[in-house]
Each structure stands twice: as structure tokens, then as C-alpha cells.
Amino acid sequence: MKTSAKIALIGNPNSGKSSLFNQLTGLNQKIGNFPGVTVDKKTGVCRLDSSASIQVIDLPGTYSLYPKSPDEKVVMDIITNPLDASYPDLVVVVVDASSLNRNLLLFTEIRDLGLPLILALNMLDIASREGISIQTSVLQNTLQVPVVGINARTGEGIEDLKAIIHTSLQKLPKPALQLESSFVNTQALAPEIVSGIKERFGVHNDYLAMHYAHQGKNLAFLSNDDKSHIEQLKQKYNFKHSLLQAKETIARYERINLILDNAVKKPDSEEKDNIDTRVDKILLHPVWGYALFLTILFLIFQAIFAWASYPMDLIDAGIAAVNEFLKTSLPESMLVSLLTDGLIAGIGGVLIFIPQIAILFAFIAILEESGYMSRVVLLMDRVMRKFGLNGKSVVPLISGVACAVPAIMATRNIDNWKERLITILVTPLMSCSARIPIYTILIALVVPDEPVLGILNLQGVALMGLYLLGFVAAILSAWLMKLVLNIKGRSYLIMEVPAYRMPRWKNVGLTIIEKVKAFVLEAGKIIVAISIVLWVLASYGPSDKMEKAETTVKLENPTLSGQALEDKIGSYKLENSYAGHFGKFIEPVIRPLGYDWKIGIALLTSFAAREVFVGTLSTIYSVGSEAENTDTIKERLRKETDPKTGLPLYTPALAFSLLVFYAFAMQCMSTLAIVYRETNGWKWPMIQLIYMTGLAYLSALIVYTLLK
């Protein structure tokens, strides 16, 4: 066996590849009872025994070797090019045993490429539940490849699969050989062009040569000369792509149906009206389906406020206690000030939101694991198509509730470029988890904690309203862009609805840990850096005003003494610091929105990541007030006053203006970076930044003007 042997996991979307990948490698790649989770290849190492390890590559799901979208092209570029670094020595085709007819189309195509194969029958439990009986031995003899039953969720059959992989790798044939018996006689379909390509490129496999003809333009490893040669051959021999693909597919299904007639027993269609079907009649109902979905959303947002309040208060109080302890225990110095007013105050602004992040992703993981999220995709598809969005846009938009970065990567399953571009441009309008700290802290400040209709909480209703606002803005923006880009025709969402399953609590727990870890660490890195810079900018100034602050304040306020005098000196220093100058510089632009220069500093720093906003305010108010340095974040915001009026600064008008601003603003450098990568240039990220910032500013201005 090769010491660097590579195996590829290939299968239809939602066939369980990623679950199998995790079982083999011990990694925790994101999985879900949800199609389109994997949009790029993932690599890990699997130990077969004490002396043998292999590389495992999880490829994006695809229904056939005729790719329609960028993620499916990843599969073709790898398995048609023996020189590719990820070209596998062995392929494990993972199939959903409850839908063998559809899943075997891809299997027969890969087998005709001459690659060594193993067929892994996943989801046998669901097949059994639906009354489907599969004779594995018959299937193995007919297909002439090893067939093994597995349960990728529980790990059942994984050791058997490892043993078969080990055995198969011991006797690897040369790749891409012409098989003695293929499922479809490719040579008979297009004999001249197959022979011409085999001769020109030294290809030994008829079906591989046929794919050169079908997809030569899209195969990344072919040179322009090679592609031109293929095009000349296609013209010379009148190659009809669609007709030949249709003939091939029909021939494959004829063979597949014959095979399954002998190997699989299914219940009559009337008996198949199982529990899933009956539940779907309610959950996908044109009226009750939406009503139930809205009810579930209400419950989630209620829980985010109701359940998270206790641990949040504990964290908030804990951070304040640590700060107080350090300030009273350590000698007063600039280093202690940096530690307490800079680092701890900033990090506290992130840690406090861990309970809410955990609750949100617990619900999302349960919805994905159970199979309900796929039903949500279908429900929302009905709405989105009315606004001209591609049906496949639903998956990225729903994923955008968690994070826009993977959501934008998920647009790779959209084959139409203009429709994919629109989805990329509007996905960041969906409220991601980074907005939660801003939403919850501002809502808690100005929305009363009062019941609505006896069972709902007004704060939860406000939070849900912000999520719906982002969704409405996304679909309306998409509709406008569709008109501007003049997209004609309509694409449709084609998706197999998975079976309902009991969520695996281990996966739910791993999802929560992974999301919280990513939130804290990724945001933490930025916050630590920004807190240090911010503390320096807020503690030093460009002139000698900082050094003469105490003298100046005493002269201007001869009657002040004690803590009031210390507060005044702190505010004077902050206003004349570098940070104060930055805030003052942009204040004329943001003043119409009701924001002062301190909020202006937070707007600038949170351009790197939205969650930095609250941490920045916490640091700014800590530096600016000696008396309030042991207060919690909420208390600091609540006690902040407008120096002109003496009234509380965070009025409902200002808070809702900020909420709307952050609902629409592109305050995320990671999202801009991924848009740059997916669109191959800075043109579209800059357009996205300008239109979202403009929308945010205008909307915040309208809200503040109406409410003040």
C-alpha cells in the first residue's frame, strides 16, 4: 500500500459524506441534514491500523459528472486529472440507501472512468424505516465493486469500511483504465471524437475522453491550445452535447433500474405515505407551514433574551469584579490602566454575549440536524422566487443568519453568474451572529422587558423584527438588482428533502462549542489589538492639553472637587486625545443620525468586525470616567449623558437609529475579503460596501428623524 495513499469521498449532496469524513478523520467538519454544506474540498488523515494512515478528501456533493455550478466543477477538475495533487488512488462513493436509484447515477459515471471504487451504503436505517430491503451481496456481485453498509452518523460499519479500504489499496490497478464492461458504451455514442481525443491526449479511457469533449472548456488543467483542439474536433464531428448527454443518462438509468429490480425490494407507493410525508403536509403547508416557522422563530428569539439573561448578568458582574479587584490590588500605573480600561473592558464586551450565541446556534443545529431546515429552504423558496431570486439563493441567505463568509461561499452552487452575484451582494444584509451583541445591548437599553399577549416578551419581538428587517431588505435589494442587471428567465431550486431524524446531541454540542470558540477567538484577536490601540489613542493626545488637563479643568471649574472633578478631568483628557480627535473629525457626518464623537470612534473601530462596537464603547467609557470604572457595560451605556442637554444619550431614537444602521451596514472586513475572492476583483466588494453603507446611513437618518 502506498504510504501517501489518497481516498476521495464522493456522493450526492446530503448523502452523508461529511459525517463519514468526520468519522474517518476524527475532525469536526460542519455537517447537517441539509444539502450544500460542503462547497470546497476538505482534507484529513485516517489511521487504518497501527502502521497505516491515508489521506481522506471530502469533495463537494454532486448529482452527476456534468457540473452546473462552481462547487461541482471542483469534483471534475480533480477526478479527470491524474496530475492533480488531490487525484485519488481510491474513491468511496457514498450513497443514500433510501434513494439508490438517483444516487447510483453518479456511481456508474465514476466507475466508467476506471477509478478503483468502494460503494458505501449510508442511511440504511432510513431505508429500513421506509420498508426498503437491499441485498448487499447481489448489489456487490452485479456492480463488481466492494459494497459496505455504514451509518455515518453513529459510526456503525466504519471499521468494516476501513478494512475494505485497506485491502483495496493493497492491490491498486493503474488509474483510468478502459474497463472490460462499462455501464454505457461511450465509444458507440461518439466513436470519432473519442478516438481523436484519446490519440491527442494519450487518454486510455473512453468515458474520460468523452468528458474532455463535453467539458473541455471548463477543465482547468487543459491549456488553451488543448481546448481549441477539442473545439475543432467537436465541430468536425458535429458533436451534440445535450443529445449525447441525454442518451447516456437514459442508458445509465436503464441499467440501474435492472440492477435494482434484482437487489432492492420497495413497498408499494401507497404504503410509502409514511410519517415524514404526513408531517410534511403540515410543515410545508402554504399557510400552516409559515405560521409554524414564525412560531419557531419567536421561540428562538424569546429564548435568546429569557434564558441568556442570567448567565449574561453573571459574566457582566464577573468582569466588573475582576476589574475592581485589579484596580484596588495593583498600584496605580499606565500598565494597570491599559489592562483594566483597555483589555479587560474590551474583552468583557465580547464574553458577555457567549450565552446568546450558544442558544442561537443550539437552535440552528437542532433545526439542521432534524431535517427541518431543508423544509424552511423550500418554504422560503416560494417567497423568494416572487422577488426574482434564484431558488438556490435560499441556502446562502439562510446560512447568512450564522455568518456571511461561509454563506457567500455557498453561492457556488448557483450556476448562473448574475444570479450568483446578486446573492453574494445581498447575503450580508441577513443579520449574522456578529450583530447579536449590538442588537441585544441596545434593545435591553431602550425596549421595556414587558410581556406581549401574555406569552411573548417585547424585547424578543424587537429582536425578531430586526432579523425580519434584514431579510426584507435582502429580497427587495435582490429584486432591484435583478432589474438593473436585466436578468431574464428563471432558475429553480431542485432539492431532495431529507428524512426527519432525531438530532445527534453530540453534533449539537460540537456546533455550539465551535461557534462560540470562533466568535470569542476570532473577535478576541481583533478586540485585543483594537483595545490596545484604542487605549493608546484615548490616553495620549497631539498637544500639551493632556498634560495640562488637571490645571485647565480646575481653572474652568473652580467649585468642583472630589470624584466630580476627577470625572471632569477624565472627560477632558478623552476629548483631547487622539481618539477624541478622530471622533470629532467624523462627528459632523454622523451628527444628523444622533451620534456623538464617542459613538463615531466605535463606528470606525467596528469596521473590522461588528462585534467590536460594544467592546469599543466599553473601553471608551472606561477611559473617560474614573467613577464608573467598576460598572457593568449596560450601566455605563445607561448612565452616559448628552453634554448639551444633560439627558440620557441612549434615547430610543438614537438606539433604533444605531440598530437600523448596523442591520444594513457592511461592517465586516472578512466578508469583503470573501466577496473579493469569489468575484475575482475589488469592483463588486466596493460596490457592495458603498450601497450597504448608503442604505444604512439613509435608513438610520430616517429612523432618528422620525423618533427624536
Side-chain angles (χ1 to χ4, degrees):
M1 187 181 77
K2 292 169 63 175
T3 53
S4 58
K6 291 186 281 285
I7 69 164
L9 306 181
I10 299 179
N12 288 182
N14 207 38
S15 60
K17 291 182 296 83
S18 298
S19 295
L20 177 57
F21 177 84
N22 289 344
Q23 291 284 356
L24 291 173
T25 63
L27 298 177
N28 292 316
Q29 185 185 337
K30 177 176 171 54
I31 57 175
N33 192 8
F34 192 65
V37 172
T38 307
V39 293
D40 204 350
K41 67 178 180 182
K42 307 287 182 186
T43 304
V45 175
C46 170
R47 181 167 286 278
L48 295 178
D49 58 28
S50 58
S51 60
S53 298
I54 57 170
Q55 189 178 357
V56 183
I57 304 165
D58 182 17
L59 294 175
T62 180
Y63 289 105
S64 80
L65 293 184
Y66 291 93
K68 302 293 184 187
S69 55
D71 58 330
E72 293 178 350
K73 287 173 185 167
V74 172
V75 181
M76 279 305 294
D77 278 334
I78 290 175
I79 67 169
T80 56
N81 180 18
L83 299 179
D84 191 286
S86 298
Y87 187 80
D89 300 293
L90 175 70
V91 174
V92 176
V93 180
V94 186
V95 297
D96 176 356
S98 65
S99 301
L100 266 184
N101 184 282
R102 172 177 54 75
N103 279 248
L104 284 182
L105 174 66
L106 176 64
F107 167 84
T108 63
E109 291 174 341
I110 295 173
R111 187 179 178 280
D112 282 356
L113 286 178
L115 287 161
L117 287 183
I118 295 173
L119 180 63
L121 295 177
N122 192 25
M123 305 184 194
L124 283 167
D125 53 335
I126 295 174
S128 176
R129 198 169 76 195
E130 295 180 359
I132 299 172
S133 172
I134 300 171
Q135 298 182 57
T136 307
S137 58
V138 175
L139 206 55
Q140 180 166 296
N141 291 334
T142 311
L143 299 177
Q144 299 178 15
V145 299
V147 178
V148 58
I150 63 167
N151 187 326
R153 280 162 56 87
T154 64
E156 184 181 347
I158 299 300
E159 292 305 317
D160 294 337
L161 175 60
K162 284 184 180 179
I164 293 174
I165 290 173
H166 203 175
T167 305
S168 300
L169 290 174
Q170 305 284 338
K171 45 186 178 183
L172 283 176
K174 291 181 180 178
L177 289 174
Q178 180 59 42
L179 297 169
E180 293 180 1
S181 61
S182 56
F183 277 86
V184 172
N185 186 349
T186 310
Q187 180 73 26
L189 286 175
E192 298 91 351
I193 197 166
V194 167
S195 299
I197 289 175
K198 288 174 71 175
E199 182 180 348
R200 160 74 185 234
F201 295 96
V203 174
H204 301 291
N205 182 281
D206 290 348
Y207 191 52
L208 182 57
M210 179 69 107
H211 270 289
Y212 273 47
H214 276 297
Q215 304 177 54
K217 284 183 180 176
N218 297 320
L219 294 176
F221 59 86
L222 293 180
S223 67
N224 289 333
D225 286 345
D226 291 338
K227 292 176 182 177
S228 297
H229 182 78
I230 291 171
E231 289 304 308
Q232 289 170 9
L233 286 176
K234 287 167 71 174
Q235 290 181 7
K236 180 179 179 182
Y237 297 115
N238 192 24
F239 186 82
K240 296 180 178 177
H241 166 76
S242 299
L243 178 64
L244 289 172
Q245 183 185 345
K247 283 184 176 179
E248 179 198 327
T249 304
I250 291 170
R252 289 189 185 280
Y253 272 118
E254 288 175 349
R255 288 288 306 275
I256 290 168
N257 289 335
L258 285 174
I259 293 168
L260 295 184
D261 283 346
N262 294 322
V264 178
K265 287 185 179 179
K266 289 184 175 182
D268 294 336
S269 57
E270 292 182 2
E271 295 176 21
K272 206 176 176 181
D273 187 16
N274 54 24
I275 295 175
D276 285 8
T277 308
R278 292 194 288 273
V279 173
D280 278 344
K281 286 179 181 175
I282 300 172
L283 295 184
L284 297 177
H285 190 274
V287 176
W288 300 119
Y290 292 104
L292 282 168
F293 179 49
L294 284 175
T295 303
I296 290 171
L297 285 183
F298 265 118
L299 288 174
I300 292 174
F301 294 122
Q302 294 299 311
I304 286 176
F305 269 102
W307 297 354
S309 61
Y310 301 107
M312 285 179 73
D313 289 342
L314 285 175
I315 294 172
D316 206 7
I319 294 291
V322 169
N323 239 345
E324 184 179 10
F325 172 77
L326 292 174
K327 278 180 176 287
T328 53
S329 305
L330 298 174
E332 188 174 341
S333 67
M334 293 302 283
L335 186 61
V336 173
S337 176
L338 169 63
L339 180 65
T340 55
D341 297 336
L343 283 178
I344 294 180
I347 291 173
V350 169
L351 295 182
I352 190 175
F353 299 103
I354 288 177
Q356 291 177 327
I357 298 289
I359 290 172
L360 175 65
F361 281 102
F363 277 108
I364 290 177
I366 290 170
L367 294 181
E368 287 185 357
E369 281 270 321
S370 65
Y372 179 68
M373 192 62 90
S374 295
R375 274 76 180 178
V376 172
V377 170
L378 287 180
L379 275 175
M380 300 314 295
D381 177 52
R382 294 176 193 165
V383 176
M384 291 184 183
R385 274 194 282 127
K386 295 183 187 301
F387 292 88
L389 269 172
N390 187 307
K392 292 181 179 177
S393 303
V394 181
V395 175
L397 288 178
I398 295 288
S399 303
V401 173
C403 179
V405 173
I408 287 171
M409 290 177 68
T411 61
R412 293 178 188 175
N413 66 1
I414 301 172
D415 49 323
N416 183 296
W417 165 241
K418 286 187 177 179
E419 291 176 336
R420 185 180 170 220
L421 177 62
I422 290 175
T423 309
I424 289 173
L425 293 178
V426 303
T427 294
L429 288 170
M430 298 294 287
S431 287
C432 64
S433 59
R435 290 176 168 106
I436 287 183
I438 304 167
Y439 286 174
T440 53
I441 198 78
L442 292 175
I443 288 174
L445 278 178
V446 297
V447 178
D449 183 13
E450 295 177 355
V452 179
L453 302 175
I455 54 172
L456 302 177
N457 181 284
L458 195 55
Q459 293 181 340
V461 174
L463 182 60
M464 181 173 169
L466 286 166
Y467 275 79
L468 291 179
L469 180 66
F471 171 70
V472 171
I475 59 174
L476 289 178
S477 300
W479 179 70
L480 286 173
M481 290 178 191
K482 196 123 182 169
L483 295 178
V484 173
L485 294 176
N486 192 27
I487 298 178
K488 296 177 180 176
R490 180 178 292 180
S491 301
Y492 294 92
L493 173 67
I494 301 174
M495 185 184 78
E496 185 181 3
V497 179
Y500 288 108
R501 299 175 193 160
M502 180 61 72
R504 291 200 67 206
W505 301 111
K506 178 185 174 186
N507 288 343
V508 175
L510 287 173
T511 300
I512 295 171
I513 293 170
E514 180 188 326
K515 295 300 179 185
V516 169
K517 188 177 170 185
F519 178 77
V520 172
L521 294 183
E522 290 176 13
K525 290 177 191 171
I526 301 170
I527 286 169
V528 168
I530 289 180
S531 293
I532 293 172
V533 173
L534 199 57
W535 178 86
V536 172
L537 293 176
S539 300
Y540 298 92
S543 65
D544 60 352
K545 285 187 175 180
M546 299 290 283
E547 296 174 1
K548 299 177 180 175
E550 186 172 345
T551 307
T552 307
V553 171
K554 285 181 177 177
L555 286 174
E556 292 177 354
N557 303 274
T559 58
L560 280 182
S561 62
Q563 194 59 60
L565 178 62
E566 292 297 322
D567 280 352
K568 197 70 180 176
I569 294 171
S571 298
Y572 182 88
K573 284 184 176 178
L574 180 60
E575 194 166 353
N576 289 282
S577 65
Y578 289 108
H581 282 276
F582 280 122
K584 294 279 185 181
F585 179 73
I586 68 165
E587 191 174 26
V589 179
I590 59 175
R591 197 67 205 178
L593 310 182
Y595 311 158
D596 65 0
W597 57 274
K598 293 180 184 176
I599 296 176
I601 296 171
L603 290 177
L604 287 175
T605 56
S606 65
F607 181 74
R610 297 179 182 93
E611 54 268 58
V612 175
F613 175 80
V614 178
T616 299
L617 286 182
S618 177
T619 302
I620 288 289
Y621 293 143
S622 293
V623 174
S625 174
E626 294 296 325
E628 319 293 347
N629 56 24
T630 58
D631 283 347
T632 63
I633 296 171
K634 279 190 287 187
E635 288 169 341
R636 285 185 191 128
L637 297 181
R638 189 169 284 125
K639 291 178 179 177
E640 187 67 11
T641 57
D642 187 331
K644 293 181 180 176
T645 64
L647 297 173
L649 179 68
Y650 286 87
T651 61
L654 184 143
F656 279 107
S657 173
L658 269 174
L659 286 169
V660 171
F661 182 87
Y662 274 98
F664 297 150
M666 167 59 88
Q667 298 281 103
C668 182
M669 290 179 69
S670 300
T671 302
L672 285 174
I674 198 68
V675 174
Y676 165 78
R677 177 180 155 187
E678 295 297 314
T679 59
N680 297 316
W682 281 111
K683 174 185 172 183
W684 293 110
M686 289 301 103
I687 290 175
Q688 188 177 37
L689 174 64
I690 292 168
Y691 104 80
M692 287 185 66
T693 305
L695 177 64
Y697 187 91
L698 186 61
S699 304
L701 177 63
I702 293 171
V703 169
Y704 183 72
T705 305
L706 291 177
L707 295 181
K708 72 177 180 179

